[in-house]
Amino acid sequence: QSALTQPRSVSGSPGQSVTISCTGTSSDVGGYNYVSWYQQHPGKAPKLMIYDVSKRPSGVPDRFSGSKSGNTASLTISGLQAEDEADYYCCSYAGSYNVVFGGGTKLTVL
Amino acid sequence: EVQLVESGGGLVQPGRSLRLSCTASGFTFGDYAMSWVRQAPGKGLEWVGFIRSKAYGGTTEYAASVKGRFTISRDDSKSIAYLQMNSLKTEDTAVYYCTRDLGAAAGIFDYWGQGTLVTVSS
């Protein structure tokens, strides 16, 4: 199973919005509404930020939102803050009880 | 407070075996599926496999890269999940995370342990 495709890096200034894309196929992202997003700070474990394409777990700020169109899912972070600087990974169900992650995107807050 | 604590990592030679443990607390362990996710040094995340709760048969699913070599099991009486790794390869070198799995292969890992490093090298 191939990894989902994410941009290697994105950047934005405090207060701005950034969007991270996650492109898969009709066998994973496009075929199921089971896309999740994880934030990982250096040396730390990942943290669930979005699941089921657009749902936020309790405690995650509403500045984080998710969406999907066709085979591409997106994570949008509005009102960027310094603490948002981290690596972000998308994840999708890929059928036959298989899960696939994206390669990760490094977000830099300028 | 939900906590997951992995243990058992270390240096192991190619072809040998290692067993990781994940001790859970703060929730009813037996009600949840558990997944293992790994991350090679400087690389991205890779799902390894999961085990369903006993209510769903306690059965397992694995990524193609580890199928036939790795086995996940659970002891609900001790709130521990295990990852038995056999025939280890150098490419299995990674930090291994234990996660609570809300979706049983839907990729919803709502709690993570701190990870344990496995290094496969001669």
Side-chain angles (χ1 to χ4, degrees), chain A residues 36 38 40 45 93 97-99, chain B residues 39 45 47 52 105 107-109 113:
Chain A
S36 50
Y38 296 87
Q40 186 179 34
Y93 179 60
Y97 300 108
N98 194 27
V99 175
Chain B
Q39 186 170 35
L45 301 172
W47 175 74
R52 297 176 177 86
I108 308 171
F109 313 118

Side-chain angles (χ1 to χ4, degrees), chain A residues 34-36 38 40 44-48 51-52 89 91-93 96-99 101-103, chain B residues 37 39 43-47 50 52 61-63 97 104-110 112-114:
Chain A
Y34 291 133
V35 177
S36 50
Y38 296 87
Q40 186 179 34
K44 300 294 187 181
K47 175 186 176 183
L48 178 66
Y51 68 99
D52 291 355
Y89 294 91
C91 177
S92 175
Y93 179 60
S96 301
Y97 300 108
N98 194 27
V99 175
F101 281 95
Chain B
V37 176
Q39 186 170 35
K43 302 296 184 182
L45 301 172
E46 180 187 16
W47 175 74
F50 81 94
R52 297 176 177 86
E61 307 289 347
Y62 300 96
Y97 293 101
I108 308 171
F109 313 118
D110 66 337
W112 297 61
Q114 84 287 353

